[in-house]
Amino acid sequence: MIERERFDTLADALCAPRAGVSMVSLSLQAEASDFVRFNHARVRQATHTLQCHATLGAAARGRRADTTLALAGRIDADIAALRTELQRLLATLDDVPEDPFLLLPDVVASSTRDERGALPDAAQAIEAVATHAAGEDFVGFLASGPVLRAWADSRGQRNWHRVETFHFDWCLMRGAQAAKATCAGTHWSDAAFAARMAQARSEADLLEREPLAVAPGRYRAWLAPAAVGELLALLAWNGFGIKARRTGTSSLTRLADGDAAFDARVQMTEATTDGIAPAFTAEGFTRPARVELVRDGRAADALTSPRSAREFGVANHGAIAAEAPESLELGAGTLAQRDALAALGDGLLLGHLWYLNYSDLRACRMTGMTRYACFVVRGGEIVAPFAPMRFDDSLLRLLGPGLVALGAERERIAAGETYERRRLASITTPGVLVEGLQLTL
């Protein structure tokens, strides 16, 4: 794993000011990750990945070019390879067309975040599974280790973001049914893992009851934080960006236009300081500590990338190119977790949702399937599971006139994607009690 001293050496060697060049930049993405895959509570695959990719950028005369290469870990060889790439970039700049929406950072804002955790190594995770999942058909995947994002440029800006995190995602299988659970954070706790395992085992036992048939229709429902997180993840895809809002392709267009509103209790925020995502982008722009996206149920600010800021003449928030939040938070309410089923009364408990997509983008109408720990509840007590069903409903309605209560406790759901590299993003949300959730088939 690359350390700060090595990063500074690379930055000093490559990011010197050059005549006729607006900016030379160096961006690093690195990790040292343990990956362990389990099946039948036994290790099926255990690997370790150590990787570091550097992206060099050069900008001049309204043009920008960049290139990415893997570093070898030998400082002299890496500097030599990067210098060769930089010369190639500078030589090709005049062949690159001018970019009318190119925006470069104009304020030097250096930052450092270096959070050391207490992470489980492979042996610790294997021992925890052997102890707490004994006798279970346990299927899971652990990713653990430090993750780095860093930025340097020829203006003298230096940004360093190194966090140590783990994400353990597993299921307890009971025939064709499964109880799903996750355990994630920066500090491993065997007691916390044991508690999550006990909860999953309790849900798995309930899944062995004879399932009840649930007919299509509208139902009162308690959506656990994991289920709400799936809805918010889809909403984040195109709901909050200024470009989607200005071009009418946002799922929250009606909210932005004032034609619809969430319940006044709904607050949504991009809370960078509370998440695990870096406070700067891969282009060297810094992010505000917080951006209010929904205030008292109504549209507030929008996430704005540098290109959109230039295109639409608005303030830049340092959002990623997709203008999606990476530290999204839904504000808590007053319904305690222990009282959720009693408040539900007769209805459905939805532990998880999946395969979500929009059925009507402009209406913010979402469709998907129920799955994992979904139960029929009567008189505030779980009666039986029900088979996976399709839902189709508008989030504007569910968090608007259909909202009964927001949970008092929130759960941070860390992104588990590992495509190319581990992703630093999270959604923090409470559970939600709603009236009239539409099940279609």
Side-chain angles (χ1 to χ4, degrees), residues 96-413:
V96 175
E98 289 190 44
D99 184 349
F101 303 131
L102 176 64
L103 185 65
L104 300 176
D106 58 1
V107 175
V108 175
S110 299
S111 62
T112 298
R113 179 178 176 180
D114 201 324
E115 294 188 7
R116 307 290 163 141
L119 303 181
D121 58 24
Q124 208 171 357
I126 293 167
E127 178 64 27
V129 170
T131 301
H132 302 298
E136 293 285 356
D137 186 356
F138 176 97
V139 180
F141 179 73
L142 169 71
S144 177
V147 181
L148 170 69
R149 303 289 184 265
W151 166 271
D153 63 41
S154 52
R155 302 170 307 137
Q157 181 168 312
R158 301 290 186 271
N159 300 103
W160 176 266
H161 180 89
R162 184 188 188 277
V163 292
E164 296 185 345
T165 68
F166 72 92
H167 186 275
F168 206 162
D169 190 322
W170 74 88
C171 290
L172 296 184
M173 306 299 300
R174 298 292 173 89
Q177 299 277 21
K180 181 178 174 63
T182 60
C183 187
T186 58
H187 288 72
W188 170 265
S189 165
D190 191 69
F193 178 77
R196 297 290 284 182
M197 184 63 69
Q199 180 183 350
R201 183 177 282 113
S202 176
E203 292 177 355
D205 291 341
L206 291 168
L207 289 171
E208 293 188 304
R209 297 182 181 181
E210 187 69 23
L212 291 177
V214 172
R218 291 197 175 274
Y219 292 86
R220 188 176 175 92
W222 168 255
L223 280 70
V228 181
E230 292 290 340
L231 295 171
L232 295 180
L234 181 57
L235 185 67
W237 174 49
N238 71 343
F240 301 111
I242 189 67
K243 188 176 184 69
R245 182 179 292 186
R246 292 292 181 91
T247 57
T249 58
S250 168
S251 57
L252 291 180
T253 294
R254 294 185 61 213
L255 190 79
D257 292 345
D259 297 331
F262 291 128
D263 185 281
R265 291 168 289 179
V266 173
Q267 321 285 340
M268 295 186 191
T269 307
E270 170 74 325
T272 298
T273 53
D274 299 328
I276 57 174
F280 56 92
T281 70
E283 297 81 26
F285 290 90
T286 56
R287 296 170 169 171
R290 300 177 68 84
V291 179
E292 285 189 284
L293 303 172
V294 176
R295 182 189 309 113
D296 301 334
R298 299 189 176 276
D301 215 338
L303 294 177
T304 307
S305 67
R307 294 185 65 80
S308 289
R310 186 70 177 267
E311 181 176 358
F312 299 111
V314 294
N316 168 38
H317 286 147
I320 61 175
E323 297 184 335
E326 294 190 304
S327 303
L328 181 62
E329 292 189 359
L330 173 62
T334 58
L335 179 59
Q337 176 74 28
R338 64 179 179 275
D339 300 326
L341 293 187
L344 172 61
D346 294 341
L348 304 176
L349 163 60
L350 304 184
H352 297 269
L353 303 173
W354 72 333
Y355 285 153
L356 273 66
N357 209 334
Y358 288 106
S359 56
D360 185 342
L361 182 70
R362 188 168 180 82
C364 199
R365 192 174 186 90
M366 301 176 176
T367 186
M369 300 294 295
T370 66
R371 197 189 188 200
Y372 301 124
C374 292
F375 300 98
V376 175
V377 176
R378 292 175 182 165
E381 299 290 336
I382 293 176
V383 175
F386 65 93
M389 292 192 68
R390 178 167 294 280
F391 74 92
D392 193 309
D393 213 328
S394 169
L395 197 62
L396 289 171
R397 194 198 69 77
L398 290 175
L399 295 183
L403 179 65
V404 178
L406 293 160
E409 297 91 2
R410 299 193 300 175
E411 183 175 325
R412 177 184 289 177
I413 302 167

